[in-house]
Amino acid sequence: VFYPQDIMVDMLAGSRMCGDPAFYKELEMFFGPASGYKYDVIHFNNGLHGCCNNTQLSPDIYVNGYKECIELIRRLQPEAKIILATSTHMTFEDHSPELLKMKNDIVKERNDFVRSYTKENNFMLNDLYELVAGHEDKYPHVDGVHFGEEGKKALADAVVNIVNKALGRENTVSD
């Protein structure tokens, strides 16, 4: 029997990036005491913001901002299990191969940081990049950043599976 009070899912999405003071304020409102919620699991990704447009952050600003975001979340939700997710690649058709490679190299660099930071802090890792990279035929993008239905389903299933794992529950979707 399912009781709605047993599960609650929230999503904070926007265009703010790690290192943006306004993003920290959003995190404080979302995860802080004013929200009234205690989270068991937090799945976090913020890799493409400041990478795929004209607001490219330096690696130092991104890394320091990312660490500050996670430290803030840990302070506000100290009992929550943290899952960090890598970012997916981009496939902008209107970009030159050189520009697209440069942007995807930034994604790869950020993902390398997320993988090492995850390991250093004993967080769980959801490697969404590895799931879809190299599978453009199976998981095509609709706009260079966002995936079509098959890709969205594969990514959503990966999130459900790892959240279930963090909760000690049996997976409800196939790998």
Side-chain angles (χ1 to χ4, degrees):
V1 175
F2 170 73
Y3 297 100
Q5 69 272 19
D6 291 343
I7 297 176
M8 181 165 167
V9 177
D10 278 330
M11 182 174 119
L12 173 63
S15 60
R16 306 242 190 248
M17 58 193 111
C18 295
D20 182 340
F23 186 46
Y24 303 143
K25 293 293 183 192
E26 290 177 356
L27 292 174
E28 286 174 4
M29 288 187 304
F30 197 78
F31 293 115
S35 75
Y37 296 116
K38 176 192 162 290
Y39 292 90
D40 295 318
V41 176
I42 297 169
H43 186 280
F44 184 85
N45 170 270
N46 190 256
L48 293 182
H49 296 283
C51 171
C52 61
N53 51 31
N54 292 327
T55 58
Q56 287 144 346
L57 295 176
S58 72
D60 288 344
I61 291 173
Y62 177 77
V63 165
N64 291 333
Y66 192 98
K67 288 178 180 179
E68 288 173 353
C69 286
I70 300 304
E71 289 167 6
L72 177 61
I73 292 169
R74 295 297 306 145
R75 185 171 50 78
L76 296 171
Q77 294 287 326
E79 297 176 31
K81 293 178 182 170
I82 302 291
I83 301 167
L84 303 180
T86 57
S87 295
T88 57
H89 63 291
M90 295 177 275
T91 62
F92 291 106
E93 291 180 11
D94 63 342
H95 282 27
S96 69
E98 295 80 17
L99 180 59
L100 191 58
K101 181 183 179 324
M102 180 196 78
K103 290 184 177 187
N104 279 315
D105 285 348
I106 294 170
V107 172
K108 289 177 185 177
E109 182 179 334
R110 290 178 177 192
N111 285 343
D112 288 344
F113 159 72
V114 169
R115 288 180 189 105
S116 66
Y117 186 71
T118 299
K119 187 178 275 190
E120 289 168 14
N121 291 282
N122 295 312
F123 296 134
M124 296 177 77
L125 176 69
N126 193 0
D127 202 336
L128 300 176
Y129 180 90
E130 287 299 321
L131 175 69
V132 296
H135 302 286
E136 287 78 14
D137 55 328
K138 188 174 179 181
Y139 307 123
H141 287 81
V142 295
D143 63 4
V145 176
H146 301 100
F147 287 86
E149 291 306 313
E150 287 300 314
K152 287 191 284 189
K153 181 176 180 343
L155 294 165
D157 287 351
V159 172
V160 168
N161 282 339
I162 199 160
V163 169
N164 278 335
K165 182 177 180 181
L167 292 170
R169 295 181 178 181
E170 205 170 303
N171 283 328
T172 57
V173 295
S174 61
D175 287 326

